[in-house]
Amino acid sequence: MTTSTDSWTLIPGVMTLADLRAVWTSSAPVVLADSAWPAIEASAAAVRAIVAKGDAAYGINTGFGILARQRIPDQQLEQLQRNLILSHSVGTGALLSDAVVRLVMLMKIGSLARGYSGVRPVIVETLVALYNAGIMPAIPAKGSVGASGDLAPLAHMTLAMLGVGQVRVNGELLDATEALAAAGIAPVVLAAKEGLALINGTQVSTALALHGLFMAERLLEAAIVAGSLSLDAAKGSDAPFDARVHAVRGQPGQIATAAIYRELMAGSAIRASHLVGDERVQDPYSLRCQPQVMGAVMDIINNAARTLLIEANAVTDNPLIFDGTIISGGNFHAEPVAFAADTLALAIAEIGALAERRIALLIDATLSGLPPFLVRDPGVNSGFMIAHVTAAALASENKSLAHPASVDSLPTSANQEDHVSMATFAARRLDDMAHNTAVIVGIELLAAAQGIDFHRPLTSSAHLEHVHEQLRRQVPFFDADRFFAPDIEAAKQMVIDGTLSASCKEVFAALYQ
């Protein structure tokens, strides 16, 4: 994908993670590269030739799934494809966000445009037109088992192309017919193979997993910043972050994150104040082992990113067309996405688990050396006592949510689809987990900043003082008990939207190489 000031040029099969992150955060219009159209037309011509020949071909002139043995007369092929979309639109639950729907649509455009799916150019043109008009199909989040593709949610996407159901435009739900008419987009009539090509594929589970990936990246950055601030607040040692310690183990994530911690903490006057005369020999693991844990988290995130980038560029519908020959396969099975999502769940849970332990340390005066519960006049004031309880509750909830979804297959379609990936749920639950962890890291940020304030007039490092200043613009020092929930929400938002680490973004460049 290449960019101009106001649009994207999509070259099928070569999207990067940077491209996908940009789509996740922005609604700039997309232009399909001119080089893609001949392959699209060639695969559509192959379908027309198969129909004209009259031989039975799955998904073109047969029923679907276990009904593949049922031959469909040519005069009913358009009705077959429309019925497929209507009957498969059985999703339920909350609607997917616009950010996720944009990813779904873009990846479906890219997949169809590679020229193996047998759809006419008008199908791709209509998807591009919807995307560029900001017409987001209303896609319920629940109802897919991640094989044979994300059938139900992609059927809801396709409904919008037919002018059926609802769409969302600028956050407002509208009838699809009304939205298409206002944008000057004609509803499509599906030809042979096209309905199946649109609803087969892993685009929904992949979009949800990419959303989880991008959230995990922000959590990782924020937790490293908050953890660095906690280390200074607790007057911990920076010796365990020495590059030599990590080099002899050799784990790449550990080496990279240790370097980030060192840079974030460099020049702290608080650290300098206890280099001599500190009787403590070792810090608790939640401080000392941050590179080991967060480095492993980084490696998991990067491994998942590699899998999801491949999937984002992939052709995952069925059957596929190669040089005029139609082949039935199983690219719609989303096991790679399910595994990636399951490992991201582990990473997100562990970010929160370690942050919760540092909050517990900071509020415990016997460990931190700070006032009990990080507040003056403890007893009259409860301070951070129950904020930690919230963090503990969310960390525990994430433990349950982190159970792997990919191991729980349930056969469908009269046992024709007898092993499924559960990738869509595996990926969907990442958002809940990410929000839980964002709250935990936000509470840690508040607690660590409170600890830094108790060390005044000593200062932390330049990077961490800037982070502290950003927070204090949103949340004042906790001098006595007050309505605490808005403070936590403000800190959570700094984690979620990336502002917590934005001021030292260059420090994190090594995470994404």
Side-chain angles (χ1 to χ4, degrees), residues 172-195:
E172 181 183 358
L173 279 175
L174 302 170
D175 286 338
T177 44
E178 176 186 346
L180 265 63
I185 301 170
V188 298
V189 176
L190 298 173
K193 174 73 168 63
E194 291 177 341

Side-chain angles (χ1 to χ4, degrees), residues 209-210 212-213 216-217 219 293-308 334-352 398 401-407 421-423 425-430 433 437:
L210 285 167
L213 170 71
E217 291 173 346
L219 293 170
V293 177
M294 300 305 278
V297 165
M298 172 189 158
D299 287 337
I300 281 179
I301 289 173
N302 285 341
N303 287 339
R306 281 188 284 272
T307 296
L308 295 176
E335 196 82 344
V337 180
F339 283 166
D342 279 347
T343 58
L344 283 171
L346 297 177
I348 291 169
E350 281 297 88
I351 292 171
N398 274 353
L401 287 172
H403 183 278
S406 56
V407 299
S421 71
M422 298 299 176
F425 168 65
R428 177 167 53 82
R429 84 355 177 128
L430 297 178
M433 295 184 69
T437 295

Side-chain angles (χ1 to χ4, degrees), residues 349 390-403 432-433 436 440:
T390 295
L394 296 176
S396 183
E397 182 176 310
N398 274 353
K399 292 176 186 178
S400 294
L401 287 172
H403 183 278
D432 283 343
M433 295 184 69
N436 286 346
I440 299 169

Side-chain angles (χ1 to χ4, degrees), residues 18 73 106 125 175 179 191 282 310 381:
L106 188 83
E125 290 167 350
D175 286 338
Q282 290 185 329
I310 292 169
N381 295 301

